[in-house]
Amino acid sequence: MPLSPDTQAPGSDPGLTVPRLLLRALSLRGLTVQHLPTGASGASGASGASGASGASGASSTAHPQPLPLALPASTRPILTATHLLLPALTPALQRAAVAHAAAHLLHSAPAQPPNGLRPLAQVVVGAIEDARVEQLLARELPGVRAWFDAPLRAAWQADGLSFFALLSRLDLALHDERCPDDHHWVNKARTAFDAARRAHGLEDAAAFRRLASILANDLGQMRVRHEPRQLAVPAPYRDDHSHLWAHKRNAEETQNLPAPEAPPPVGRPATASPPLTPSPRDEAAAAGRDTPTLHLYPEWDRRLERLRPDWCTLHEWAPVQAVETPSDAGLGRTRLPSRLPLPSRPSVGPGRRLRRQFEGDELDLDAAIDAVLSRRLQQTHDGPVFQRRAPQQPPCSLLLLLDSSLSTADQDAQGRSLLALEQVAAWQLARTVLAARGRIAIHAFHSDSRARVHYRRLLDFGQALDARAQARLEALQPAWSTRLGAALRHATRLLTAEPAERRAVLVLSDGAPSDIDAHDPRDLVEDARQAVREAAQRGLPVYGLIVDPGAATCARRIFGVHRHRVLARTAPLQRQLAALHAHISGI
């Protein structure tokens, strides 16, 4: 029986009548359903942009209606505000593609601004959005869930670790909660997706976009590579996500994609993300020398409870004058204040004052007041109430070790990054120590797996705090991860050569150790704890100042109960750093 004019447009392809009717029934929208030309090339424009040129090579017989955009060479469906373009699919895949498009039409906001999201982050957001809208549609129409099941299982790469394989594992894990998967990133995504669904509901698209941003950040930390020109939608029935984003219409801009690089974590400043594998010239420009000196260090295996010999390769960059090139002008380097107020110099008298002693030359006023209060409250008090002078302790040589990982690029409400606060606090402390005729060294570290732990000596013991030292400290940029154990072992080695009688290491960091090749966070925590023990065996105490209240347990585990302080981000870092130095020096 022939179709009515409402359902069969003149010149339309009869083979797409069923998908056209199914799309209208599911979405209550009458989109044009057409075949995707196999010979088309170019780039997709803005979603739903009508009136653009048709696809090159499209037959006027097969496609009587003008296409809304220039088409890419694709094997996946393309959805716009007016068209659904289907490649050559089996009837089962065609049915799943129509249902998936209907889910987006009902529950997704089209033409969203990317807001600086890199291609990898956009793909992860699209994968999370696919799972969200499919579950919403299946909640309304439970039968469609089976349409998605077989294609997702067919695309599943159970043991793959590439970006495409991880996406296929993510798609099936979010579709079937009972599907086993031993990858930590996939399991994190499944757990977080379920938590967001319970806390906010599937209708809250913003909550799931925040989740996708976190997952994209994790992939960036894992150095998972994504080639923008390659296919990034594993399931053949799902569209290419072009309708989700307000992409530029200029095909040349899309064709001239930049060279593939590791995307920075979502929300980071663009200047904080270095190339995936920096060239020796890039590292030399940052450190001011041609090549680094390589050192091999062991690492603690918490499962075997022994050291793995020569496990980490540390790249040491010596403190020479930083050279600024014209290309560095726009990097937004931290500028240290030229006239920081110099704190009052600690008194260095004939000796130090010991309070609350059983014997002494004079009363300790605080202890005497406590004794009087206890007597009036009819409480026993037999504590010491005297104070006396003791010989002055020898000065302490302090090695200040700065965490310069990528997380220190996070900005506070005033737009200041943690690394910028670290630089100012370190500069202030160095001026204080040198004004008191003390000795201080300022070093920094970050890591890119165990093969590349970068260690920068910004100021060494005995060096002048001049313009060159200031330039080196200002040029420090955040990058990569935090492999603390190897950096501590190298700092201990350098500090051992310092001839002072009293020596100590002070670590200034923003959280727990982490790196891309350490999937269990306990591994690097235990390695850092072992490095602190090794330093203590050499008579070199290690202290920690951690700017993250959530890392209190980790800091206590690494540094010990009495050798660490945990600060909130809003705490005055300069004051706390000076107070901890005074505690270490016994001032």
Side-chain angles (χ1 to χ4, degrees), residues 92-139:
L93 288 176
Q94 195 176 76
R95 181 179 58 185
V98 171
H100 181 77
H104 276 304
L105 292 173
L106 290 171
H107 304 294
S108 288
Q112 304 173 38
N115 291 333
L117 291 181
R118 294 295 180 93
L120 180 143
Q122 293 182 26
V123 173
V124 176
V125 171
I128 297 297
E129 181 68 4
D130 287 343
R132 185 185 73 88
V133 298
E134 285 183 2
Q135 292 190 21
L136 280 171
L137 185 64
R139 189 175 66 185

Side-chain angles (χ1 to χ4, degrees), residues 530-547:
Q530 177 64 23
V532 171
R533 286 179 173 179
E534 295 169 8
Q537 292 172 357
R538 297 187 178 187
L540 304 176
V542 179
Y543 297 82
L545 186 60
I546 309 300
V547 189

